[in-house]
Amino acid sequence: MKLIKSLLSVALGSTIAFNTLAADMIVYNSKIDTYDGKKFSAFSVTDGRFEKLTNDKDALLKDKTADTLVIDAQGRRIIPGLNDSHLHVVRGGRFYNLETRWEGIDSLATGLEMIKQNAKVTPKGQWVRVIGGWSPYQFKEKRLPTSAELTAAAPNTPVFVLHLYSGGVLNQKAMEVLGITKDSVAPKGSYYEKDANGELTGRLVADPNPMILYKTIAALPQLSAAEQLNSSKHFYNKLLSLGVTSVIDAGGGGHTFPENYQASTALAVTGELPIRVSNYLFPQTPNKEIQSFTQWMSNYNADQDLHAHMDNGYVIEGGGELLAWSASDYENFTSGRPELAADAEAELEDVVRLHLLQRLAV
């Protein structure tokens, strides 16, 4: 079965034909809408392209061969592959098997019960972690969990719940493991929340610098290389099941290139990566952005594709989502806008010029 590279949905009549080769795939009993308002229920694919769109499935099936893949869509809608223009799939794949996922649930009580049950099967030394894909506004309670609630759900297992990059909540066990006390000093632009008595509440607040959250994520136990490979496979296949066939990966704090990219790179090189990934690299250390980008550029060229068989399947595109730490506006939109450093514009220009000279994207 040849790889489908593009969708041709131009309707010239009730049936659209582009060549007369035997079809590689026939899909019928589906729902298809073209951009000009026409509707079809069946199609064939030949040599990687949509050959026919029709409402006469029998006309397609009479020409099938023993090698034609025939699929009954059972009334499901067929759409082109989706591109997500800002994800963190490489990092997400590394941790997917470790995460408790809250998307789709409608109450915090249900979420806390999930943490309780997952804590029972979490291996010693690992954490229960809720990292993304949810909002407190999806809950009928309309709020974040408290540290006390997380401690009650998992008294002996460390728990970290991340809310976007605006803040997070740790249970008591997590604070003990990380050695966080009321005397701990948070990274600049963030803080450990305290109550009226000066005691820690368990909340981490980006105000607005998310480094406190990046550092917490980076401090959590990693999976082994083999486990990260397995985790990444599951994550990419989950995205594919949702119709996502290509993404732009925006790097991320606490996510070092190339060390933390090994699982996704291995899947690409062996041809097992099922979606296309365009990578933008994120410098991890303030004041060393030029050195990091220069080093990466010495090993990777523009448009260098590492995927075994997909065109543009796994490419290092350039720099982002962060280019220069001094010129960064952060993700916590509940906090005030940070004032950029005096040298921010010059540092950002240096990084952008470096990319332009190397013909890499920013």
Side-chain angles (χ1 to χ4, degrees):
M1 186 62 213
K2 300 177 178 67
L3 176 68
I4 297 176
K5 294 185 176 179
S6 62
L7 171 63
L8 300 180
S9 59
V10 179
L12 300 177
S14 61
T15 301
I16 302 175
F18 296 101
N19 56 55
T20 58
L21 298 176
D24 298 319
M25 175 193 291
I26 294 173
V27 177
Y28 66 96
N29 192 16
S30 63
K31 297 176 182 177
I32 307 163
D33 290 336
T34 60
Y35 76 94
D36 55 354
K38 293 185 172 62
K39 298 181 181 296
F40 300 95
S41 61
F43 64 87
S44 63
V45 176
T46 302
D47 197 27
R49 292 182 178 274
F50 280 71
E51 179 188 19
K52 296 177 181 177
L53 289 169
T54 182
N55 288 305
D56 184 359
K57 70 179 179 65
D58 294 330
L60 294 181
L61 293 173
K62 71 181 179 60
D63 294 327
K64 71 180 179 68
T65 69
D67 294 325
T68 302
L69 175 63
V70 178
I71 299 174
D72 180 354
Q74 299 180 355
R76 295 182 176 89
R77 180 162 300 283
I78 305 295
I79 62 173
L82 302 175
N83 171 268
D84 194 306
S85 62
H86 188 117
L87 279 180
H88 299 270
V89 291
V90 178
R91 186 175 64 187
R94 289 169 53 206
F95 296 108
Y96 183 66
N97 285 357
L98 293 171
E99 292 182 10
T100 299
R101 307 295 304 186
W102 275 358
E103 59 260 37
I105 65 173
D106 63 3
S107 76
L108 178 57
T110 300
L112 292 169
E113 180 63 25
M114 292 171 67
I115 286 177
K116 180 179 180 179
Q117 296 305 319
N118 285 352
K120 295 178 181 179
V121 296
T122 297
K124 185 179 176 68
Q126 277 293 354
W127 291 48
V128 175
R129 55 190 94 185
V130 181
I131 298 298
W134 68 281
S135 163
Y137 302 108
Q138 77 192 53
F139 301 145
K140 60 186 179 184
E141 296 90 345
K142 306 298 182 187
R143 64 175 178 85
L144 297 168
T146 66
S147 179
E149 288 172 326
L150 298 179
T151 298
N156 301 310
T157 304
V159 178
F160 177 46
V161 175
L162 177 70
H163 176 223
L164 306 174
Y165 279 115
S166 61
V169 187
L170 300 169
N171 71 344
Q172 185 60 42
K173 186 66 174 180
M175 287 190 285
E176 292 173 5
V177 170
L178 293 177
I180 298 173
T181 70
K182 61 182 179 181
D183 297 320
S184 296
V185 178
K188 183 180 179 180
S190 58
Y191 62 89
Y192 299 106
E193 185 184 72
K194 296 178 182 179
D195 62 20
N197 297 317
E199 300 297 327
L200 294 172
T201 67
R203 285 195 64 201
L204 314 178
V205 181
D207 190 30
N209 191 327
M211 183 56 71
I212 189 174
L213 306 173
Y214 293 163
K215 285 184 175 294
T216 302
I217 294 172
L220 303 187
Q222 305 283 315
L223 293 170
S224 69
E227 290 168 337
Q228 287 186 41
L229 190 68
N230 177 271
S231 180
S232 296
K233 285 182 180 179
H234 284 297
F235 185 51
Y236 285 120
N237 284 324
K238 175 64 175 180
L239 291 175
L240 190 62
S241 75
L242 299 172
V244 177
T245 58
S246 63
V247 303
I248 293 175
D249 185 278
H255 180 58
T256 305
F257 180 83
E259 293 83 359
N260 295 145
Y261 285 66
Q262 296 304 313
S264 290
T265 302
L267 292 175
V269 169
T270 60
E272 297 177 82
L273 184 66
I275 69 176
R276 289 179 168 86
V277 179
S278 295
N279 291 286
Y280 285 76
L281 304 182
F282 187 120
Q284 299 298 309
T285 307
N287 303 316
K288 292 188 177 180
E289 297 91 339
I290 288 291
Q291 295 94 314
S292 296
F293 283 124
T294 300
Q295 179 185 356
W296 298 332
M297 291 173 183
S298 68
N299 294 309
Y300 294 89
N301 302 320
D303 300 322
Q304 180 179 352
D305 187 5
L306 300 181
H307 202 288
H309 59 75
M310 280 189 188
D311 293 341
N312 299 310
Y314 190 78
V315 179
I316 307 299
E317 298 281 4
E321 57 190 1
L322 182 145
L323 296 173
W325 282 87
S326 62
S328 180
D329 189 359
Y330 301 109
E331 300 96 331
N332 187 0
F333 299 112
T334 64
S335 293
R337 187 192 72 181
E339 294 301 324
L340 300 184
D343 57 354
E345 184 174 348
E347 291 187 3
L348 181 60
E349 181 178 340
D350 287 343
V351 172
V352 171
R353 285 185 179 278
L354 176 64
H355 280 77
L356 292 176
L357 290 171
Q358 297 296 323
R359 308 183 72 82
L360 289 165
V362 290

